């Protein structure tokens, strides 16, 4: 029987990159539309500057995938992940080691992320994570609609973590959680063994005051740009 769980934020905690942004850059390049990535990031910056919350920004961002095939993006996610891994430095090695130690010890390993399945499924397969709880964009007739009901961001992660623990009969006081951003605070506060990754000032202050474990920011060597494949032109055999 599983005795405890370990909840891992992904972007900036387990990974050294933001998976959703890197995948979008890859996807736009493969389709021969690199300007679409620039447009999407510019729109995101504008929303944040206008005061959009993290939840609102995450929800709106998924509009870039409206009309896209779920199967095609799943395939693209696997190819993107293979390219990222080939570059090296994708994972924070210290956090990855901890994840594998939890798995080896029989703990339930849970990934909690505002990203979505095309990015996270390859990560879960590689790490052996037991559960992936992520943003789930609406799907209609095998395609993403661009709409999102409940982004897996901020306090929503804590609600999801509590539900996973209840489903498996696990006491949250015995559980671990790993996060790097102030938006992870709710899930960190939920578990008995919170671990702060990186230098977020809010989390660093709480770690010092409450005696939480803290891992300094990981600074990987400069990663080269993704070796993006060239888009296939119409009529090319």
């Amino acid at each position: 029987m599983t005795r405890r769980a370990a909840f891992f934020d992904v972007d900036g905690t387990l990974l050294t990159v933001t998976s959703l942004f890197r995948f979008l850059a890859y996807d736009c390049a493969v389709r021969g539309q690199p300007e679409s990535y620039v447009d999407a990031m510019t729109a995101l910056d504008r929303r944040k500057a206008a005061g959009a919350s993290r939840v609102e920004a995450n929800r709106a961002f998924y509009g870039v995938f409206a009309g896209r095939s779920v199967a095609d993006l799943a395939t693209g996610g696997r190819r993107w992940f293979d390219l990222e891994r080939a570059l090296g430095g994708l994972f924070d090695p210290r956090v990855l080691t901890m994840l594998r130690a939890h798995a080896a010890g029989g703990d339930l390993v849970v990934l909690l992320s505002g990203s979505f399945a095309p990015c996270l499924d390859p990560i879960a397969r590689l790490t052996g994570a037991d559960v992936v709880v992520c943003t789930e964009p609406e799907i209609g007739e095998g395609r993403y609609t661009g709409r999102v009901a409940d982004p897996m961001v901020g306090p929503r992660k804590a609600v999801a973590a509590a539900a996973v623990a209840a489903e498996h009969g696990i006491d949250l006081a015995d559980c671990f959680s790993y996060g790097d951003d102030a938006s992870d605070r709710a899930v960190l506060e939920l578990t008995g063994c919170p671990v702060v990754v990186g230098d977020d000032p809010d989390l660093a202050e709480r770690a010092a005051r409450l005696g939480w474990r803290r891992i300094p920011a990981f600074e990987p060597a400069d990663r080269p740009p993704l070796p993006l494949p060239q888009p296939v032109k119409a009529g090319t055999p």
Side-chain angles (χ1 to χ4, degrees):
M1 178 180 291
T2 301
R3 184 173 62 84
R4 63 185 186 183
F7 300 95
F8 288 84
D9 171 59
V10 177
D11 298 327
T13 301
L14 180 60
L15 299 188
T16 60
V17 302
T18 300
S19 60
L20 187 59
F21 298 163
R22 296 278 289 195
F23 172 65
L24 181 62
Y26 165 86
D27 180 67
C28 290
V30 168
R31 293 191 295 135
Q33 300 174 1
E35 69 283 355
S36 296
Y37 173 74
V38 176
D39 292 344
M41 299 307 294
T42 299
L44 178 63
D45 288 341
R46 286 175 178 165
R47 287 190 186 93
K48 290 180 177 179
S53 69
R54 197 178 181 95
V55 170
E56 292 167 338
N58 184 277
R59 180 181 287 121
F61 192 81
Y62 280 98
V64 301
F65 298 111
R68 301 295 305 283
S69 162
V70 174
D72 287 350
L73 286 182
T75 298
R78 291 191 293 270
R79 292 173 177 168
W80 160 77
F81 182 68
D82 288 343
L83 286 174
E84 290 279 16
R85 279 193 67 203
L87 289 178
L90 177 60
F91 290 91
D92 183 324
R94 305 162 305 173
V95 181
L96 182 59
T97 296
M98 292 175 183
L99 183 153
R100 287 174 169 162
H102 282 292
D107 297 341
L108 187 77
V109 174
V110 183
L111 304 184
L112 292 173
S113 178
S115 191
F116 70 149
C119 300
L120 297 170
D121 285 350
I123 296 169
R125 280 192 292 270
L126 178 74
T127 61
D130 300 294
V131 180
V132 176
V133 184
C134 62
T135 296
E136 297 183 0
E138 182 182 79
I139 296 171
E141 298 183 353
R143 296 184 178 274
Y144 290 108
T145 68
R147 294 186 291 271
V148 173
D150 295 307
M152 190 54 57
V153 176
R156 185 80 179 85
K157 287 184 177 180
V159 173
V164 170
E167 178 184 354
H168 292 270
I170 295 171
D171 186 347
L172 284 164
D174 295 330
C175 294
F176 287 74
S177 56
Y178 298 79
D180 74 299
D181 187 83
S183 64
D184 298 319
R185 191 176 73 192
V187 71
L188 289 169
E189 292 175 339
L190 188 68
T191 61
C193 303
V195 182
V196 174
V197 180
D199 300 325
D200 180 89
D202 177 73
L203 295 186
E205 185 277 330
R206 285 178 177 271
R209 177 163 50 86
L210 300 175
W212 294 355
R213 183 176 179 184
R214 184 177 167 211
I215 303 173
F218 175 67
E219 299 294 343
D222 290 339
R223 304 180 78 232
L226 280 173
L228 298 172
Q230 294 300 309
V232 177
K233 297 180 180 179
T236 301

